[in-house]
Structures are given as structure tokens and as C-alpha cells.
Amino acid sequence: MSSRRPFHTAGRRAGGYTLLEVVIAVGILVVLGSGLATLLTQGISIWRRAENRGKVYDQARILLERMAEDLRSTVVDPGAGVGSPWVRFICDRDYRGRQRLRFVRTISAETSNEILRKGGQYLAVRTPAVFDGKYDRQEASDGSLGAPGGLMEVVYLGDPRVSQTYLWRGYRSPVGGMGSLLNESTLKDDVLERLSEKLETARKAEPPAGNPDEKEQERVQAAIEEARKDIELVMTDFSRRLTDGVLYLGFSFWGPTTNTWEPVAPLQSPGGRRKSGPLDHWDSTRAILDESPLESGEFTFKSRDGSLTDRSDDIFPERVEITLVLRDDNSESLYLLEQLSKATGSFSVSKPLSLPEDESERFILVGDEWMRLSGIDGARVTVGKEGRGWRGSRAKGHSPGTRVDIGVTFRRVVEMPGSRKSRRAEERAPAPPVRRKDP
């Protein structure tokens, strides 16, 4: 008789285990390995999102403190010895409908600045140079820099190019004169609008991807680059890039009749429990801006002859609320999936979104148009009634592939230094509620 055992596949053992047991074990290891890899990938993704969000918060903190420091240094009454009609506080809108803020502030530690210290040391026949970030050190060395007088003009404004999210800040000292930032002509709205239209025209003429005409592509790209450089040159003539990634910068002002920060119309006479919201514009002189009330009963500044040069009737806000929306790097792949008209109220984006709990943050940026949201169902977005063209933007058509941003919103209220109200505003508005979201 043979001593060999019968051959049975099911009972065959390898290292003490049957093949079935080995297959099951390997399968479990594969499943566990796949799960571990997925968990690791998700963990890295969460870590990266948290890191990006941390950078956004750091950026917001720095920007808000920079703007708050400027606003806290605002000059309300320069004193009898100064006598400058250039001490103004103006918030208007550029040709794209975005707010821009201009005002005069004191210069911190002027005597400790080696450049400012040399200003006004020499007398000259020609017009003195100004401290504005261009050739300041050279101008101070050759004695052509004017005396700063302790005051400086400041302007905050957005980039005129639709595809750019730079925030620009300009400064200038001494204040006033032909090149003053408080002069409308200095900001060159007409020039920037013309160059922006030139840039958009060049972009629309760009051949589609895969076009074999390389010379045409090079020509269009050259036109686009030329328009970009021209805009950059105009902007750097009176301002400097402060940072990138700013989707929106807005200002609200606590006026003589304001009793809430809620986005409701400012009323001429609130009375009782009626809410009177903040103003979205300001003209301390009450003679430069032509802001008419949209409806009867809304608050508006009253002007009179001589208001422009009469400092005694100038009016400044008590508080300024800064709203800052920064681009979240986690939304880089978000884009529009369908064609939008000026009246479209519902559309799809490239990935699911969630609706912010705070109603004041329920906005979405499609291209350069802000829309107010009423609901989100996965990747399907619904815009509320009259929700198109918010935050100074205009309702317009958008093509598939247009970039979409949600952004991260930050707010801060800055107390103004000794605000002055109009003599005609005899009743003091009640103190505002404290509600801030500081980074």
C-alpha cells in the first residue's frame, strides 16, 4: 500500500492554512489597505484645506489691521492752524460699481522716518515732490521732497481687470494739489475703463484651444499682454499692490440716523422701532458726490453753497464697518457648467456646495458678478429674488467654464477718532450692536 495521503484541493494547507483561508486573509488585507489609503488621502486633503484656510485667516487679520490703523488715524479736524480744505473723507464707486475709499490721515512717527524727516528742508522754485512710494529716497536726498505737514492721503480700491483680484492702496503727502488722490481725475477712471474694454475685446478675440493659426494666437496674446501692462502702469501711477486674492472689499458707514448694521435703507427719520441701516457712500464735504435717495424718506446728505470749502459743516462717520471677502484656495476647481443669461435664477456648478448659516454671507461670485443665494441642492445653486448683480456688480451673461468663487467673509467695525456730525443732526443716533467676525 502506498503511504501517500489522498489529494484534496479544499483541504490543502499552506503553512498550516487552507488556500481558502489565505485568499480570505489577502482579501481582507487588500480591503484594509485600500481603506487606509483612502483615509490617508482624505486626511491629507483635510490638512491641506485647513492649512489653506489658516493662510486666509492670517491674510485677513493683516489686511483688516492695516485698514483699521489707517481709519483710526483719520483726520477729522486738522485744527485752526492747518486750514486745509483737502481734509476730506470720501467713499464713492468706480466705473465698475465697486466702492473705493479716500481720506486724509495723520502720519505715524513722521520724525522717525528718514525720508519724511528730510521733506521741506530746502526751498526750491519748482513744485516740491511728494511722498508717494515713487523715487522717495532719491527725492529726499536731492532736497526736492515737500514737507509732509503731518498729513497723508490714502486710497483703497480694487483692480480694474476682471480676472485680477489685487487690492491696491495709494498714499500721498503733502495733501492737496493737482495730483491729489482726492481729485477724481487722479484716479483716471476714464483711462482705466477704456483700457479694460480693450483688454476684454482682446480676450474675446482669442482663438479657441487647438486653433492651428499660431500667428493669430501670438497676435492676440500680445494684445492681451499689452493691455494688461498699460493698466498696470496707470494703476502704479497713484497706488501700489497691497495683496492678491481679494474678491470683495466693502465699507458701511454709521450715519446720523443709523441704528443698525443690518442691510436696510438708511432713513431720514427712523422713529419708533423702524430700522435705519448704514450708508454705502460718504462725502464729508457734502458737495462732491451727487447721491440722491432711491426712495422717498431715505437719508441723504444736504448740501449748501460753499460747503466744499467750509470745514465747519463737514460730517464724518462715527464708525466704519469693513467687509472683506478673500479667495479660498480650496475652491480652485469650482466653475460654471451651463450658459447663464442676465435673468437666470438657477444653475449648476462643478461640485456640491453648502449654504452658509449666516445670511449675510450667502453670496457667490460668478465671473465678476456677485449673486445672492436663496438655496443650494448639491451642485445646483438657486439665486434669490432680485439676487443678481449685488455688491456693486452688474447682472450679465456667463458662459460655461466661468470661474465661480464663494470666498471667506470677514468683518470689522472701526471706531472713528472723534467723528463730527452735521450741525443739523441734533439727535444722536443710538449705539450700534456689537457683532463682529474677526479673524
Side-chain angles (χ1 to χ4, degrees):
M1 282 181 72
S2 174
S3 61
R4 292 182 181 180
R5 294 181 179 179
F7 181 82
H8 299 292
T9 304
R12 186 178 180 182
R13 291 182 173 271
Y17 297 97
T18 66
L19 287 178
L20 181 60
E21 291 171 336
V22 171
V23 170
I24 293 174
V26 171
I28 292 173
L29 289 175
V30 170
V31 172
L32 290 176
S34 300
L36 182 61
T38 301
L39 184 62
L40 182 61
T41 301
Q42 291 178 345
I44 293 175
S45 178
I46 293 172
W47 175 77
R48 286 177 176 172
R49 285 200 299 270
E51 185 181 35
N52 289 336
R53 183 58 61 89
K55 292 178 181 178
V56 171
Y57 272 73
D58 287 341
Q59 182 185 12
R61 177 181 55 79
I62 295 170
L63 280 176
L64 288 173
E65 190 53 44
R66 166 76 276 184
M67 289 184 279
E69 196 274 331
D70 277 335
L71 287 168
R72 286 193 294 262
S73 302
T74 300
V75 177
V76 174
D77 188 350
V82 178
S84 174
W86 291 99
V87 175
R88 301 170 183 173
F89 190 95
I90 301 172
C91 181
D92 58 357
R93 296 184 181 274
D94 63 13
Y95 69 93
R96 285 181 56 192
R98 300 170 305 172
Q99 287 177 297
R100 59 187 179 192
L101 181 62
R102 294 171 283 165
F103 55 96
V104 174
R105 58 156 293 174
T106 57
I107 300 178
S108 304
E110 177 183 340
T111 56
S112 64
N113 187 305
E114 60 174 333
I115 296 177
L116 291 173
R117 209 169 44 235
K118 296 178 181 180
Q121 283 189 335
Y122 302 96
L123 295 176
V125 177
R126 62 181 180 177
T127 303
V130 295
F131 177 72
D132 59 358
K134 295 185 298 182
Y135 317 114
D136 292 333
R137 189 172 297 278
Q138 180 60 41
E139 291 164 348
S141 298
D142 62 25
S144 62
L145 194 65
L151 302 179
M152 174 191 295
E153 300 171 354
V154 176
V155 60
Y156 281 97
L157 69 169
D159 199 286
R161 294 163 290 192
V162 173
S163 60
Q164 300 295 337
T165 56
Y166 292 112
L167 175 63
W168 294 75
R169 176 182 182 268
Y171 60 89
R172 187 179 185 274
S173 181
V175 302
M178 292 296 293
S180 171
L181 299 176
L182 300 168
N183 281 335
E184 190 74 19
S185 59
T186 303
L187 304 184
K188 302 179 180 179
D189 252 8
D190 55 342
V191 177
L192 289 171
E193 183 175 12
R194 186 174 66 252
L195 290 174
S196 296
E197 290 176 353
K198 178 182 177 182
L199 177 58
E200 290 306 305
T201 300
R203 282 178 176 154
K204 291 177 181 178
E206 192 171 9
N211 191 307
D213 193 342
E214 294 183 0
K215 290 186 177 180
E216 179 64 14
Q217 290 181 344
E218 291 177 358
R219 186 191 68 79
V220 172
Q221 287 299 321
I224 292 174
E225 189 62 27
E226 180 184 8
R228 284 176 176 169
K229 288 182 178 179
D230 288 342
I231 292 174
E232 189 86 8
L233 286 173
V234 174
M235 291 295 294
T236 54
D237 191 44
F238 60 86
S239 60
R240 293 291 178 273
R241 289 182 185 178
L242 192 59
T243 188
D244 194 7
V246 177
L247 301 178
Y248 175 76
L249 175 63
F251 302 96
S252 298
F253 305 98
W254 193 271
T257 65
T258 303
N259 57 28
T260 179
W261 285 117
E262 294 180 28
V264 296
L267 303 178
Q268 190 71 40
S269 302
R273 297 182 179 180
R274 297 176 65 194
K275 293 182 178 181
S276 181
L279 286 83
D280 63 359
H281 63 279
W282 199 276
D283 177 6
S284 62
T285 70
R286 301 190 297 162
I288 296 176
L289 303 185
D290 182 16
E291 296 285 347
S292 301
L294 297 176
E295 297 180 7
S296 176
E298 285 193 18
F299 175 83
T300 184
F301 295 122
K302 294 181 179 179
S303 182
R304 63 173 178 78
D305 293 340
S307 286
L308 182 61
T309 56
D310 183 3
R311 290 185 302 146
S312 66
D313 75 343
D314 286 359
I315 178 172
F316 292 79
E318 290 187 39
R319 301 165 184 85
V320 179
E321 181 185 56
I322 306 170
T323 300
L324 180 68
V325 182
L326 298 181
R327 171 168 285 163
D328 187 353
D329 290 340
N330 298 320
S331 63
E332 285 185 350
S333 60
L334 197 58
Y335 56 88
L336 193 63
L337 292 180
E338 58 190 87
Q339 182 73 34
L340 296 189
S341 69
K342 292 182 179 181
T344 302
S346 180
F347 54 89
S348 296
V349 294
S350 56
K351 62 181 181 182
L353 301 174
S354 58
L355 194 66
E357 294 183 4
D358 190 343
E359 291 186 6
S360 64
E361 297 180 13
R362 293 178 180 176
F363 289 92
I364 190 169
L365 180 62
V366 180
D368 63 338
E369 181 190 349
W370 281 101
M371 305 178 190
R372 189 163 192 173
L373 304 178
S374 63
I376 292 178
D377 183 10
R380 191 72 183 174
V381 175
T382 302
V383 179
K385 183 180 180 181
E386 299 181 354
R388 298 292 301 270
W390 278 73
R391 290 177 168 173
S393 63
R394 300 181 182 93
K396 58 188 295 187
H398 303 279
S399 58
T402 300
R403 174 154 184 160
V404 175
D405 280 288
I406 296 293
V408 186
T409 303
F410 303 90
R411 293 186 179 87
R412 177 175 294 184
V413 168
V414 180
E415 297 281 342
M416 295 292 285
S419 65
R420 289 171 55 192
K421 291 186 175 183
S422 168
R423 292 178 176 177
R424 301 178 185 180
E426 298 178 354
E427 296 184 2
R428 183 178 179 82
V434 178
R435 80 169 232 275
R436 291 308 77 197
K437 178 182 177 183
D438 288 341

